Amino acid sequence: MKKITWMLVVLAILGLVVSPFVSASEGDETVIDERYGKPKLVLGEALSDNQKDKVRNLLSATDAEQVDEYIVTADDLVNYIGGDPSSNMYSSAKITRKEDGYGVVVNIVNPESITQVTKEMYANALLTAGVENALIEVASPVKVTGHSALTGIYKAFNVDGETLDQDRMEVANDELDVATNLAEQAGIDQEKVSELLTEIKKQISEQNPATKEEVEQIVQDQLNQLNIELSPEDRQMLTDLFERMRNLDIDFGQVRDQLDSIVSDLQGKLEEVTGGDTEGFWQGVKNFFQNIVDSIKGLLG
């Protein structure tokens, strides 16, 4: 009986630790920013009615009066990026427009169901496509690679008189394919892939290459800098991708600023929680839970 009592105490302590975070999340109320209109919810065409309801719950978009809802179809995939008309569209997204300077912030609300595309990969591709100043939340009720969410996001930015550049959308989609291919087939860590793409963009912004050979040198330099080994075919794939971007005359300076803004925002939020002592904060968390584990072992021993 004594051991059971102590177990209940431990569980109660864990509840006190977790509950403030849960309460803060559950207490948030949706406020529509009248400058930018309602958030846009884009649901994959292949979802069943029950799955659509699950996505609405995941994305906190159950109130039809609070969001504008759209369905992304295989026809949209064809129209926006020249994709396969037989594709099934599952992954979905909610797009909330933000003020100038916000940048592009991506949150995958159930990352266990998005198996290939990370939030950094989405952000990189969306900046290439010309998306600015938005909070993008991605979800899927089933395990998917996550590629179709990009088309849904494009659709949300091509309504109400807005239009993203067709060529930029296509090359951004190719960028996402390159990123996931490098992670899945070349065996490079997903975060490392995102870092590579980001650093290449920054260097293109700074050096303003005038030829494909200069782009190729930037790619190779960043591979060396990050100690990444690629096959000649994969290196060529990267060079071709960024050469296409160079030919589109994308303002990589603006992209770089927004990427830096995303990083700064994330670091700022962490420092706000930890008081700037991130190492001490995480060590404290580790010690706290280790003490609980040791206590449980002692009770059961």
Side-chain angles (χ1 to χ4, degrees):
M1 179 64 70
K2 182 177 181 181
K3 290 183 178 180
I4 293 175
T5 302
W6 274 106
M7 290 288 287
L8 292 174
V9 170
V10 170
L11 290 174
I13 292 172
L14 287 173
L16 290 173
V17 171
V18 174
S19 62
F21 297 98
V22 175
S23 298
S25 175
E26 291 177 348
D28 290 343
E29 294 183 2
T30 301
V31 177
I32 297 173
D33 191 326
E34 295 174 311
R35 296 170 295 176
Y36 309 113
K38 299 177 184 178
K40 294 177 174 60
L41 175 66
V42 187
L43 299 170
E45 179 184 33
L47 299 177
S48 67
D49 289 341
N50 287 337
Q51 289 172 331
K52 289 175 183 175
D53 284 340
K54 183 175 180 180
V55 170
R56 292 184 185 103
N57 282 316
L58 285 168
L59 294 175
S60 301
T62 55
D63 187 346
E65 297 298 319
Q66 297 291 319
V67 295
D68 290 327
E69 187 172 302
Y70 303 88
I71 301 296
V72 61
T73 69
D75 287 341
D76 293 320
L77 190 67
V78 174
N79 292 335
Y80 295 128
I81 60 172
D84 184 352
S86 63
S87 298
N88 291 320
M89 314 296 281
Y90 288 98
S91 45
S92 307
K94 184 173 77 171
I95 298 89
T96 306
R97 302 299 299 270
K98 297 292 185 177
E99 67 280 359
D100 288 345
Y102 182 87
V104 174
V105 177
V106 179
N107 177 33
I108 302 176
V109 300
N110 60 336
E112 70 279 0
S113 292
I114 307 293
T115 63
Q116 289 188 3
V117 185
T118 67
K119 63 180 182 179
E120 292 84 6
M121 291 177 185
Y122 278 127
N124 253 318
L126 291 169
L127 290 171
T128 298
V131 172
E132 296 180 347
N133 303 315
L135 169 63
I136 312 290
E137 298 167 280
V138 179
S140 174
V142 295
K143 285 187 179 295
V144 293
T145 62
H147 287 78
S148 68
L150 196 61
T151 303
I153 297 165
Y154 289 164
K155 183 165 187 172
F157 278 88
N158 280 276
V159 296
D160 299 335
E162 288 187 283
T163 305
L164 294 176
D165 181 82
Q166 181 80 29
D167 291 332
R168 289 185 63 165
M169 285 190 290
E170 290 181 7
V171 77
N173 190 73
D174 289 344
E175 176 184 342
L176 197 63
D177 288 340
V178 167
T180 53
N181 284 340
L182 289 176
E184 293 292 315
Q185 298 177 18
I188 303 173
D189 182 79
Q190 290 176 322
E191 287 73 20
K192 203 75 169 177
V193 170
S194 293
E195 184 180 4
L196 173 64
L197 296 177
T198 302
E199 291 301 328
I200 292 173
K201 288 177 181 178
K202 289 181 179 179
Q203 290 304 311
I204 289 178
S205 171
E206 292 177 6
Q207 299 182 33
N208 192 25
T211 66
K212 184 174 182 178
E213 288 72 23
E214 291 176 352
V215 171
E216 186 174 22
Q217 188 60 54
I218 289 174
V219 169
Q220 187 58 56
D221 287 345
Q222 294 311 304
L223 288 171
N224 294 340
Q225 186 71 26
L226 295 172
N227 296 315
I228 296 175
E229 293 284 344
L230 290 183
S231 68
E233 293 78 14
D234 286 338
R235 286 200 305 272
Q236 190 61 53
M237 177 176 64
L238 266 179
T239 300
D240 291 344
L241 172 68
F242 283 99
E243 172 65 6
R244 286 181 61 197
M245 291 186 191
R246 184 185 71 84
N247 288 331
L248 291 177
D249 197 26
I250 296 174
D251 184 354
F252 281 101
Q254 184 178 12
V255 170
R256 182 191 59 192
D257 292 344
Q258 292 197 29
L259 287 171
D260 288 342
S261 176
I262 291 171
V263 174
S264 296
D265 288 345
L266 291 173
Q267 291 177 342
K269 290 173 183 175
L270 182 57
E271 288 178 0
E272 185 177 330
V273 172
T274 64
D277 182 15
T278 56
E279 184 176 349
F281 171 78
W282 290 117
Q283 186 61 46
V285 171
K286 180 180 177 181
N287 292 342
F288 172 78
F289 284 103
Q290 185 60 54
N291 289 337
I292 291 177
V293 171
D294 292 342
S295 299
I296 293 174
K297 287 180 179 178
L299 290 171
L300 298 178

PDB file of all heavy atoms in Angstrom, residues 172-196:
ATOM      1  N   ALA A 172      10.250  25.345 -56.107  1.00  0.00           N
ATOM      2  CA  ALA A 172      10.146  25.091 -54.667  1.00  0.00           C
ATOM      3  C   ALA A 172       9.710  23.655 -54.411  1.00  0.00           C
ATOM      4  O   ALA A 172      10.202  23.001 -53.476  1.00  0.00           O
ATOM      5  CB  ALA A 172       9.162  26.061 -54.028  1.00  0.00           C
ATOM      6  N   ASN A 173       8.807  23.156 -55.227  1.00  0.00           N
ATOM      7  CA  ASN A 173       8.391  21.760 -55.086  1.00  0.00           C
ATOM      8  C   ASN A 173       9.550  20.819 -55.397  1.00  0.00           C
ATOM      9  O   ASN A 173       9.761  19.814 -54.711  1.00  0.00           O
ATOM     10  CB  ASN A 173       7.215  21.464 -56.016  1.00  0.00           C
ATOM     11  CG  ASN A 173       6.599  20.112 -55.740  1.00  0.00           C
ATOM     12  OD1 ASN A 173       5.915  19.918 -54.742  1.00  0.00           O
ATOM     13  ND2 ASN A 173       6.849  19.141 -56.624  1.00  0.00           N
ATOM     14  N   ASP A 174      10.336  21.168 -56.416  1.00  0.00           N
ATOM     15  CA  ASP A 174      11.516  20.365 -56.733  1.00  0.00           C
ATOM     16  C   ASP A 174      12.522  20.408 -55.588  1.00  0.00           C
ATOM     17  O   ASP A 174      13.195  19.418 -55.297  1.00  0.00           O
ATOM     18  CB  ASP A 174      12.170  20.871 -58.025  1.00  0.00           C
ATOM     19  CG  ASP A 174      11.331  20.549 -59.259  1.00  0.00           C
ATOM     20  OD1 ASP A 174      10.430  19.697 -59.154  1.00  0.00           O
ATOM     21  OD2 ASP A 174      11.570  21.169 -60.314  1.00  0.00           O
ATOM     22  N   GLU A 175      12.632  21.566 -54.939  1.00  0.00           N
ATOM     23  CA  GLU A 175      13.521  21.688 -53.785  1.00  0.00           C
ATOM     24  C   GLU A 175      13.104  20.728 -52.680  1.00  0.00           C
ATOM     25  O   GLU A 175      13.949  20.083 -52.051  1.00  0.00           O
ATOM     26  CB  GLU A 175      13.513  23.123 -53.267  1.00  0.00           C
ATOM     27  CG  GLU A 175      14.342  23.324 -52.016  1.00  0.00           C
ATOM     28  CD  GLU A 175      14.249  24.730 -51.457  1.00  0.00           C
ATOM     29  OE1 GLU A 175      13.834  25.653 -52.195  1.00  0.00           O
ATOM     30  OE2 GLU A 175      14.589  24.923 -50.271  1.00  0.00           O
ATOM     31  N   LEU A 176      11.788  20.642 -52.448  1.00  0.00           N
ATOM     32  CA  LEU A 176      11.293  19.727 -51.423  1.00  0.00           C
ATOM     33  C   LEU A 176      11.623  18.285 -51.797  1.00  0.00           C
ATOM     34  O   LEU A 176      12.019  17.480 -50.950  1.00  0.00           O
ATOM     35  CB  LEU A 176       9.781  19.905 -51.252  1.00  0.00           C
ATOM     36  CG  LEU A 176       9.176  19.325 -49.970  1.00  0.00           C
ATOM     37  CD1 LEU A 176       9.730  20.014 -48.744  1.00  0.00           C
ATOM     38  CD2 LEU A 176       7.659  19.439 -50.011  1.00  0.00           C
ATOM     39  N   ASP A 177      11.487  17.953 -53.084  1.00  0.00           N
ATOM     40  CA  ASP A 177      11.828  16.605 -53.543  1.00  0.00           C
ATOM     41  C   ASP A 177      13.315  16.319 -53.350  1.00  0.00           C
ATOM     42  O   ASP A 177      13.699  15.231 -52.907  1.00  0.00           O
ATOM     43  CB  ASP A 177      11.451  16.435 -55.022  1.00  0.00           C
ATOM     44  CG  ASP A 177       9.952  16.344 -55.237  1.00  0.00           C
ATOM     45  OD1 ASP A 177       9.226  16.043 -54.267  1.00  0.00           O
ATOM     46  OD2 ASP A 177       9.507  16.571 -56.376  1.00  0.00           O
ATOM     47  N   VAL A 178      14.152  17.290 -53.688  1.00  0.00           N
ATOM     48  CA  VAL A 178      15.600  17.128 -53.513  1.00  0.00           C
ATOM     49  C   VAL A 178      15.922  16.911 -52.039  1.00  0.00           C
ATOM     50  O   VAL A 178      16.707  16.028 -51.669  1.00  0.00           O
ATOM     51  CB  VAL A 178      16.370  18.347 -54.062  1.00  0.00           C
ATOM     52  CG1 VAL A 178      17.827  18.328 -53.595  1.00  0.00           C
ATOM     53  CG2 VAL A 178      16.309  18.376 -55.585  1.00  0.00           C
ATOM     54  N   ALA A 179      15.315  17.709 -51.171  1.00  0.00           N
ATOM     55  CA  ALA A 179      15.579  17.604 -49.736  1.00  0.00           C
ATOM     56  C   ALA A 179      15.210  16.223 -49.203  1.00  0.00           C
ATOM     57  O   ALA A 179      15.997  15.597 -48.472  1.00  0.00           O
ATOM     58  CB  ALA A 179      14.806  18.684 -48.985  1.00  0.00           C
ATOM     59  N   THR A 180      14.027  15.744 -49.563  1.00  0.00           N
ATOM     60  CA  THR A 180      13.604  14.443 -49.049  1.00  0.00           C
ATOM     61  C   THR A 180      14.404  13.310 -49.690  1.00  0.00           C
ATOM     62  O   THR A 180      14.679  12.301 -49.042  1.00  0.00           O
ATOM     63  CB  THR A 180      12.099  14.223 -49.280  1.00  0.00           C
ATOM     64  OG1 THR A 180      11.769  14.427 -50.662  1.00  0.00           O
ATOM     65  CG2 THR A 180      11.286  15.191 -48.432  1.00  0.00           C
ATOM     66  N   ASN A 181      14.807  13.475 -50.952  1.00  0.00           N
ATOM     67  CA  ASN A 181      15.627  12.455 -51.598  1.00  0.00           C
ATOM     68  C   ASN A 181      16.991  12.338 -50.932  1.00  0.00           C
ATOM     69  O   ASN A 181      17.503  11.234 -50.714  1.00  0.00           O
ATOM     70  CB  ASN A 181      15.815  12.775 -53.090  1.00  0.00           C
ATOM     71  CG  ASN A 181      14.581  12.459 -53.904  1.00  0.00           C
ATOM     72  OD1 ASN A 181      13.732  11.679 -53.474  1.00  0.00           O
ATOM     73  ND2 ASN A 181      14.458  13.066 -55.075  1.00  0.00           N
ATOM     74  N   LEU A 182      17.589  13.480 -50.599  1.00  0.00           N
ATOM     75  CA  LEU A 182      18.890  13.446 -49.937  1.00  0.00           C
ATOM     76  C   LEU A 182      18.790  12.785 -48.565  1.00  0.00           C
ATOM     77  O   LEU A 182      19.698  12.068 -48.139  1.00  0.00           O
ATOM     78  CB  LEU A 182      19.447  14.868 -49.794  1.00  0.00           C
ATOM     79  CG  LEU A 182      19.909  15.548 -51.085  1.00  0.00           C
ATOM     80  CD1 LEU A 182      20.354  16.980 -50.795  1.00  0.00           C
ATOM     81  CD2 LEU A 182      21.042  14.772 -51.741  1.00  0.00           C
ATOM     82  N   ALA A 183      17.691  13.030 -47.881  1.00  0.00           N
ATOM     83  CA  ALA A 183      17.501  12.441 -46.561  1.00  0.00           C
ATOM     84  C   ALA A 183      17.192  10.949 -46.646  1.00  0.00           C
ATOM     85  O   ALA A 183      17.735  10.143 -45.880  1.00  0.00           O
ATOM     86  CB  ALA A 183      16.394  13.166 -45.810  1.00  0.00           C
ATOM     87  N   GLU A 184      16.341  10.581 -47.598  1.00  0.00           N
ATOM     88  CA  GLU A 184      15.875   9.199 -47.678  1.00  0.00           C
ATOM     89  C   GLU A 184      16.848   8.300 -48.438  1.00  0.00           C
ATOM     90  O   GLU A 184      17.118   7.177 -48.019  1.00  0.00           O
ATOM     91  CB  GLU A 184      14.498   9.152 -48.356  1.00  0.00           C
ATOM     92  CG  GLU A 184      13.385   9.797 -47.556  1.00  0.00           C
ATOM     93  CD  GLU A 184      13.050   9.030 -46.305  1.00  0.00           C
ATOM     94  OE1 GLU A 184      12.929   7.782 -46.381  1.00  0.00           O
ATOM     95  OE2 GLU A 184      12.927   9.647 -45.240  1.00  0.00           O
ATOM     96  N   GLN A 185      17.373   8.783 -49.555  1.00  0.00           N
ATOM     97  CA  GLN A 185      18.179   7.934 -50.426  1.00  0.00           C
ATOM     98  C   GLN A 185      19.676   8.084 -50.190  1.00  0.00           C
ATOM     99  O   GLN A 185      20.423   7.115 -50.235  1.00  0.00           O
ATOM    100  CB  GLN A 185      17.840   8.226 -51.894  1.00  0.00           C
ATOM    101  CG  GLN A 185      16.390   7.918 -52.237  1.00  0.00           C
ATOM    102  CD  GLN A 185      16.043   8.268 -53.672  1.00  0.00           C
ATOM    103  OE1 GLN A 185      16.919   8.432 -54.521  1.00  0.00           O
ATOM    104  NE2 GLN A 185      14.752   8.378 -53.967  1.00  0.00           N
ATOM    105  N   ALA A 186      20.119   9.318 -49.934  1.00  0.00           N
ATOM    106  CA  ALA A 186      21.543   9.531 -49.677  1.00  0.00           C
ATOM    107  C   ALA A 186      21.896   9.324 -48.206  1.00  0.00           C
ATOM    108  O   ALA A 186      23.069   9.317 -47.842  1.00  0.00           O
ATOM    109  CB  ALA A 186      21.959  10.932 -50.123  1.00  0.00           C
ATOM    110  N   GLY A 187      20.876   9.177 -47.371  1.00  0.00           N
ATOM    111  CA  GLY A 187      21.110   8.871 -45.968  1.00  0.00           C
ATOM    112  C   GLY A 187      21.641  10.023 -45.133  1.00  0.00           C
ATOM    113  O   GLY A 187      22.283   9.814 -44.111  1.00  0.00           O
ATOM    114  N   ILE A 188      21.353  11.255 -45.542  1.00  0.00           N
ATOM    115  CA  ILE A 188      21.810  12.415 -44.791  1.00  0.00           C
ATOM    116  C   ILE A 188      20.742  12.800 -43.768  1.00  0.00           C
ATOM    117  O   ILE A 188      19.546  12.774 -44.068  1.00  0.00           O
ATOM    118  CB  ILE A 188      22.095  13.594 -45.730  1.00  0.00           C
ATOM    119  CG1 ILE A 188      23.125  13.185 -46.781  1.00  0.00           C
ATOM    120  CG2 ILE A 188      22.608  14.808 -44.967  1.00  0.00           C
ATOM    121  CD1 ILE A 188      23.333  14.233 -47.852  1.00  0.00           C
ATOM    122  N   ASP A 189      21.180  13.170 -42.590  1.00  0.00           N
ATOM    123  CA  ASP A 189      20.250  13.600 -41.547  1.00  0.00           C
ATOM    124  C   ASP A 189      19.366  14.735 -42.061  1.00  0.00           C
ATOM    125  O   ASP A 189      19.834  15.646 -42.746  1.00  0.00           O
ATOM    126  CB  ASP A 189      21.053  14.072 -40.332  1.00  0.00           C
ATOM    127  CG  ASP A 189      20.161  14.479 -39.184  1.00  0.00           C
ATOM    128  OD1 ASP A 189      19.671  13.590 -38.475  1.00  0.00           O
ATOM    129  OD2 ASP A 189      19.960  15.699 -39.009  1.00  0.00           O
ATOM    130  N   GLN A 190      18.076  14.691 -41.735  1.00  0.00           N
ATOM    131  CA  GLN A 190      17.126  15.681 -42.242  1.00  0.00           C
ATOM    132  C   GLN A 190      17.526  17.103 -41.874  1.00  0.00           C
ATOM    133  O   GLN A 190      17.428  18.024 -42.690  1.00  0.00           O
ATOM    134  CB  GLN A 190      15.728  15.379 -41.704  1.00  0.00           C
ATOM    135  CG  GLN A 190      15.091  14.124 -42.295  1.00  0.00           C
ATOM    136  CD  GLN A 190      13.748  13.827 -41.661  1.00  0.00           C
ATOM    137  OE1 GLN A 190      13.561  14.006 -40.461  1.00  0.00           O
ATOM    138  NE2 GLN A 190      12.804  13.368 -42.452  1.00  0.00           N
ATOM    139  N   GLU A 191      17.961  17.295 -40.628  1.00  0.00           N
ATOM    140  CA  GLU A 191      18.365  18.633 -40.195  1.00  0.00           C
ATOM    141  C   GLU A 191      19.596  19.107 -40.963  1.00  0.00           C
ATOM    142  O   GLU A 191      19.731  20.284 -41.286  1.00  0.00           O
ATOM    143  CB  GLU A 191      18.634  18.649 -38.685  1.00  0.00           C
ATOM    144  CG  GLU A 191      17.397  18.581 -37.814  1.00  0.00           C
ATOM    145  CD  GLU A 191      16.758  17.204 -37.795  1.00  0.00           C
ATOM    146  OE1 GLU A 191      17.457  16.213 -38.141  1.00  0.00           O
ATOM    147  OE2 GLU A 191      15.568  17.095 -37.450  1.00  0.00           O
ATOM    148  N   LYS A 192      20.483  18.160 -41.265  1.00  0.00           N
ATOM    149  CA  LYS A 192      21.683  18.494 -42.017  1.00  0.00           C
ATOM    150  C   LYS A 192      21.323  18.923 -43.438  1.00  0.00           C
ATOM    151  O   LYS A 192      21.924  19.847 -44.001  1.00  0.00           O
ATOM    152  CB  LYS A 192      22.615  17.281 -42.065  1.00  0.00           C
ATOM    153  CG  LYS A 192      24.074  17.610 -42.318  1.00  0.00           C
ATOM    154  CD  LYS A 192      24.727  18.183 -41.091  1.00  0.00           C
ATOM    155  CE  LYS A 192      26.230  18.269 -41.246  1.00  0.00           C
ATOM    156  NZ  LYS A 192      26.888  18.880 -40.086  1.00  0.00           N
ATOM    157  N   VAL A 193      20.340  18.263 -44.028  1.00  0.00           N
ATOM    158  CA  VAL A 193      19.883  18.636 -45.365  1.00  0.00           C
ATOM    159  C   VAL A 193      19.344  20.063 -45.361  1.00  0.00           C
ATOM    160  O   VAL A 193      19.674  20.876 -46.229  1.00  0.00           O
ATOM    161  CB  VAL A 193      18.801  17.657 -45.873  1.00  0.00           C
ATOM    162  CG1 VAL A 193      18.158  18.179 -47.157  1.00  0.00           C
ATOM    163  CG2 VAL A 193      19.398  16.283 -46.114  1.00  0.00           C
ATOM    164  N   SER A 194      18.516  20.374 -44.375  1.00  0.00           N
ATOM    165  CA  SER A 194      17.941  21.721 -44.292  1.00  0.00           C
ATOM    166  C   SER A 194      19.033  22.761 -44.084  1.00  0.00           C
ATOM    167  O   SER A 194      18.998  23.853 -44.664  1.00  0.00           O
ATOM    168  CB  SER A 194      16.926  21.796 -43.152  1.00  0.00           C
ATOM    169  OG  SER A 194      15.795  20.990 -43.430  1.00  0.00           O
ATOM    170  N   GLU A 195      20.011  22.424 -43.259  1.00  0.00           N
ATOM    171  CA  GLU A 195      21.124  23.350 -43.032  1.00  0.00           C
ATOM    172  C   GLU A 195      21.891  23.585 -44.328  1.00  0.00           C
ATOM    173  O   GLU A 195      22.277  24.724 -44.634  1.00  0.00           O
ATOM    174  CB  GLU A 195      22.050  22.793 -41.955  1.00  0.00           C
ATOM    175  CG  GLU A 195      23.183  23.742 -41.580  1.00  0.00           C
ATOM    176  CD  GLU A 195      24.096  23.173 -40.508  1.00  0.00           C
ATOM    177  OE1 GLU A 195      23.886  22.008 -40.105  1.00  0.00           O
ATOM    178  OE2 GLU A 195      25.017  23.889 -40.080  1.00  0.00           O
ATOM    179  N   LEU A 196      22.115  22.523 -45.083  1.00  0.00           N
ATOM    180  CA  LEU A 196      22.828  22.645 -46.357  1.00  0.00           C
ATOM    181  C   LEU A 196      22.097  23.570 -47.317  1.00  0.00           C
ATOM    182  O   LEU A 196      22.695  24.492 -47.902  1.00  0.00           O
ATOM    183  CB  LEU A 196      22.996  21.261 -46.987  1.00  0.00           C
ATOM    184  CG  LEU A 196      23.587  21.221 -48.401  1.00  0.00           C
ATOM    185  CD1 LEU A 196      25.015  21.746 -48.402  1.00  0.00           C
ATOM    186  CD2 LEU A 196      23.525  19.804 -48.966  1.00  0.00           C
TER     187      LEU A 196
END
